[in-house]
Structure formats: structure tokens, C-alpha cells
Amino acid sequence: MSSTENPGDGSQQVPPPETTGPDAVTPEAGTPAAPTPGAAALADPTATESAPETAAPEAAAPEAAAPETVAPADAALEGVVPESVVPESVVPGDVAPAPSAPAPAAEVASEPAQWGRVDEDGTVYVRTADGERVIGSWQAGEPAAGLAHFTRRYDDLATEVSLLEARLKAHTGNPNELKAKAQALAETIPTATAVGDLDGLAARARAMVGTADSAAAESRAEKAAARAAQIARKEALAVEAEQIAAESTSWKASGDRLKAIVEEWKTIRGIDRKTDEALWTRFAAARDAFGRRRGAHFAALDAQRGEARAAKQELIAEAQRLAVSTDWGPTSAAMRSLMDRWKAVPRTGRDGDDDLWKQFRAAQDVFFTARAESDKVRNSEQLANQQAKEELLAEAEKLDPSADLRSAQAALRRIQERYDAIGHVPRGAMRSLEDRMQAVEQKVRGASDAGRVRTAPENPMVTSMRAAVTKAEEQLAKAEASGDTSRISRARADLETRREWLAEAEKTASRR
């Protein structure tokens, strides 16, 4: 291939009409003249050619590439078209020895004259181990510029070789493709139209061909190691998921962890499909097992909560039935029993349990509020009764049996009848009131005993019966204070019975 280049201003050269076309080839040269603008486009002198140029059909020697012709910048002005020059005979003494090791491109570029030359008629030679070889013709300026131009082409080839070496060393890219590129470079570099240590550069390319297999093996080993590491990561994640599925009861945290494992799983790549699918099957099975176990747990929990809800609704219904009762004592005990049973029932969940508790507590509040109101009324009545009895006691304590015994006895009996007719008094005041009344009775009785002849002591049976009546009265007072109707009924019946016994004993004693 021939090209016309202008390293100056880039203007095209227009040769005289008589020199254009095939007639420009001189028989003496045996090589084609430089192409005219109509035959070839202007080429960039800095362009890189990674493969040898194809010889033109008119090439003189088939075993070597046709020399490249570069027209001078002032050829168009003079109307002269320079001709290609037949390569001169290679001088054995001018051939540079083959280097023992590939020389860096920077060293070649610094000494282009070591690897090539431009003769007087512009023919460019490169020195190889086999001798000098014509690679082109330089007609665009000084010979040094021509050498620099073809040296830059060598530098481009050297850069390509260096990059390929770096890729092989770093194990980046497909080793087979890199080997093929190295083989192509090794075949094309020896015939390249460039000035530099082509033999050394070709040797470097051939060395890459030799090391490509080992690099491929290293690459495969690295990929295998990386794949094993990725498999180990997914294996560890699968084992963790299986452990969670078998043991964990931290449902929320474990569920979140399984989601995180899925996201991490997506980032792990480089595993063959069969192994990856097997590991994913393990993980998916573990995740499904965890989901089933969690579902069963919450289903059982829902069933338990349903049973607890039903039990608490029964307690609420029972509390609502008792809420209207006025049998304060037994109902209070029943309400306390309901509270104990409520505490023994499991919770039904925060919201549902709070609502049920409000209903249960509302029913109890109805009863206890009513009882409190009843107690308030009863307490006010008892306080009024206490005040009335205290007034009667004050009146009784003013009696003077020593002045008029009979009048004092009659007044005391009337006071006692009114005293007994008054209802219950507060339990704390009951004993003190009874003690005051007994003191008045003793004072009147003592005055009566002092005014008559001492008689035999009272019949023990009568004394015992009177004590039994007093005790029965106290029991009735306690029963009335408790509000227990059945207890009150029993206490009243017992008191009436003991009073009848006392009357019979007094009659018997009076007849003796």
C-alpha cells in the first residue's frame, strides 16, 4: 500500500498531468510512483498500523511489503512527482543483532537510528536479525523526521504488546482471546512497517503465546477459588437459615434476618447454575419451614386467645348478673372470686384484653358503688342511732335510785325499752354504749339490794340464761352489721329462743 502524507500544512499535492496515472512508474525502478490525490487519500503520519500493509499488485518482490512512499511538502509547487526507489541490497554489517530480551518501546523511540535508516533517495529501512528490510519511502522532509514517524508506529505496536502482557498478568479478559491476539501480533510484527526492535517485540508476543495457557490455568484457578468463596458464603447463609428455621422463636427479628439474607444472596454471583439452584433450594426450604412454624405458633396463640376471650366474656356476664344484687356480703365474696378467676385467665392481646377488662371492671364498679352508697346510708343511720342511745344513756345516768328507788327503776325500764328499740350503731361504739348501760343497771340494782333484806343469790340457771341472751343479742348486732340476711335471720331466731328459755328459768326460780 502506498500513501501520500503531508506532515506540514496538510494540503494535497497536484502533480502535472503528464506524470499522473500508471505511466508514472519508471522501468528502472520497478516500483509504482507515489499515488496522486485522485488515487489515495491523505493519511495521518501519526496513525498506528497494528498489521503489515498489503503490498500493491504492482509490488516488485512478493516476499516483502511494498515500500511506503511519502511525497515532499513542496512537490506540488515544483510539479515533480517523486518515484519509489527499489530497496538497496542489504549490507550484512548494517544488521543489528537480535536482542536477547524484548526492549521497551521507550528505549527504541529514544534511538531510532539504531533500528533503521533513510537513504538519500528517501527509502526507509528497518534492521532485523535477518538483515535490513525496506518498509517505505519518506519524501516529506528530513530523514530524522521519517525515522521518527516510523518509530512512532513501532511505539504503538509496543504499547499494544505491553497492554496485552498486563492483561495476561492481571488475568483480565478471556485467556483464549488474549492468546489469539498475541499469536496474531507475533505473526504480523516481523513484517510491520515500523522502525524498532521488531524481533524483540515479536519475541515478547511469542512469549505471551507460551504463557497464555499457564495464565489461563491461573485464571481458572482464581475463578475456581472465587467461586468456592461465593459458594461458601451462600452455604453459610443457607446453614444460618436452616438454624433459624429449626430453633428460633424470635419471630420478628428472625423474619427480618431472613429478608436481609435474601438481599445479601442477590449480591453473591459467580456460581454455576446447578450449585446455585441447589443452595437456593436449601434456603427456600428453610425459609418456608420457618414460615410454617411461625404460622403454627401464631395460629395456636390465636386459638388460645380465643379461648381466653370466651372465658373472660363468661366472667363479664356473671359479674353483670351480680352487679344488681343487694345481698352485699355474699355478693362481695362472689365478686372477689371472679377477680381471682380473671387473673388466672391468659391475656387475649393488648387491645382486646383492655376492652374486656373495662367491661368486667364496669360491672364490678356498679355493684361496689351501690354497696358503698348503702354503707354510707347505713353508717349515717347508725351514727344517728348512736347519738340517740348516747342521749338515752345520759338521761339514765342522771337517775338517783337512792332518792326514789321505784321511780328510778320505772324510769330505767322505760329508757331501756326505748334504747332497745333503736337500731344498730357503729361496731366500734357498741361496746362502750353497752358498758354504760350496764353501769346504770348495776347502780339501780345495787340500790335495790341495799334497801331489802339480803336474799339467796340468783339461780345459776337464770344467770346462765341471761348471759346467753346477752351473747345472742351481740351476735344479732354483728349479723346486722355484716348485711348478711341469712345470718341475721339465724341470729334473731337464736335470740328469741334464748329469751324464751330465760323467761322459763326466771318463772321456775320465782316459784322456789
Side-chain angles (χ1 to χ4, degrees), residues 336-405:
R336 287 192 293 270
S337 176
L338 288 180
M339 179 63 73
D340 294 337
R341 290 164 59 191
W342 181 280
K343 294 177 180 179
V345 178
R347 291 178 60 86
T348 62
R350 179 176 298 178
D351 296 336
D353 207 64
D354 290 344
D355 293 339
L356 293 173
W357 169 252
K358 289 178 182 178
Q359 297 179 46
F360 178 74
R361 190 61 184 173
Q364 287 208 330
D365 288 345
V366 169
F367 169 77
F368 287 111
T369 300
R371 191 187 72 171
E373 291 296 329
S374 175
D375 291 343
K376 185 186 295 183
V377 172
R378 186 186 65 187
N379 290 338
S380 62
E381 292 176 354
Q382 289 182 354
L383 288 174
N385 293 340
Q386 178 183 351
Q387 184 176 0
K389 285 190 175 185
E390 287 176 347
E391 292 175 354
L392 290 177
L393 286 171
E395 183 179 349
E397 288 170 347
K398 293 179 181 179
L399 295 176
D400 186 5
S402 61
D404 188 350
L405 179 60

Side-chain angles (χ1 to χ4, degrees), residues 280-486:
W280 175 255
T281 299
R282 285 179 57 188
F283 170 76
R287 184 177 59 176
D288 293 343
F290 174 79
R292 288 192 298 272
R293 196 160 60 86
R294 178 174 60 180
H297 167 78
F298 284 106
L301 189 61
D302 289 340
Q304 180 182 359
R305 288 174 175 173
E307 295 175 358
R309 186 179 297 106
K312 289 191 174 183
Q313 287 173 344
E314 292 180 1
L315 294 176
I316 290 171
E318 189 172 350
Q320 290 172 343
R321 289 194 299 270
L322 293 174
V324 297
S325 174
T326 56
D327 193 2
W328 310 118
T331 305
S332 297
M335 285 293 189
R336 287 192 293 270
S337 176
L338 288 180
M339 179 63 73
D340 294 337
R341 290 164 59 191
W342 181 280
K343 294 177 180 179
V345 178
R347 291 178 60 86
T348 62
R350 179 176 298 178
D351 296 336
D353 207 64
D354 290 344
D355 293 339
L356 293 173
W357 169 252
K358 289 178 182 178
Q359 297 179 46
F360 178 74
R361 190 61 184 173
Q364 287 208 330
D365 288 345
V366 169
F367 169 77
F368 287 111
T369 300
R371 191 187 72 171
E373 291 296 329
S374 175
D375 291 343
K376 185 186 295 183
V377 172
R378 186 186 65 187
N379 290 338
S380 62
E381 292 176 354
Q382 289 182 354
L383 288 174
N385 293 340
Q386 178 183 351
Q387 184 176 0
K389 285 190 175 185
E390 287 176 347
E391 292 175 354
L392 290 177
L393 286 171
E395 183 179 349
E397 288 170 347
K398 293 179 181 179
L399 295 176
D400 186 5
S402 61
D404 188 350
L405 179 60
R406 290 186 177 274
S407 298
Q409 288 176 339
L412 180 58
R413 281 195 296 273
R414 290 193 296 272
I415 290 174
Q416 285 178 332
E417 290 174 358
R418 292 164 58 193
Y419 184 90
D420 292 338
I422 297 174
H424 297 292
V425 297
R427 183 176 303 177
M430 187 183 300
R431 175 55 60 187
S432 62
L433 295 176
E434 292 296 327
D435 290 344
R436 290 175 64 185
M437 179 58 73
Q438 289 181 5
V440 173
E441 291 174 352
Q442 290 293 336
K443 183 175 69 172
V444 173
R445 187 181 298 113
S448 175
D449 292 342
R452 67 171 181 270
V453 180
R454 187 176 298 275
T455 59
E458 187 179 30
N459 191 313
M461 179 62 70
V462 174
T463 303
S464 176
M465 288 295 102
R466 188 174 287 110
V469 168
T470 301
K471 186 175 181 180
E473 290 174 346
E474 294 176 356
Q475 293 296 330
L476 176 59
K478 292 179 180 180
E480 290 175 344
S482 68
D484 189 344
T485 55
S486 59

Side-chain angles (χ1 to χ4, degrees), residues 142-208:
E142 296 296 329
L147 282 179
H149 167 70
F150 287 98
T151 301
R152 283 194 295 271
R153 291 189 174 185
Y154 172 84
D155 291 345
D156 292 338
L157 289 174
T159 299
E160 187 173 356
V161 171
S162 297
L163 291 176
L164 202 58
E165 289 174 336
R167 293 182 64 187
L168 278 174
K169 184 176 182 181
H171 301 155
T172 58
N174 188 329
N176 293 328
E177 293 180 1
L178 297 180
K179 180 179 180 181
K181 290 181 180 180
Q183 183 66 44
L185 285 173
E187 294 174 355
T188 59
I189 287 175
T191 59
T193 57
V195 172
D197 185 8
L198 296 177
D199 293 328
L201 197 60
R204 289 170 59 187
R206 289 191 297 273
M208 284 190 287

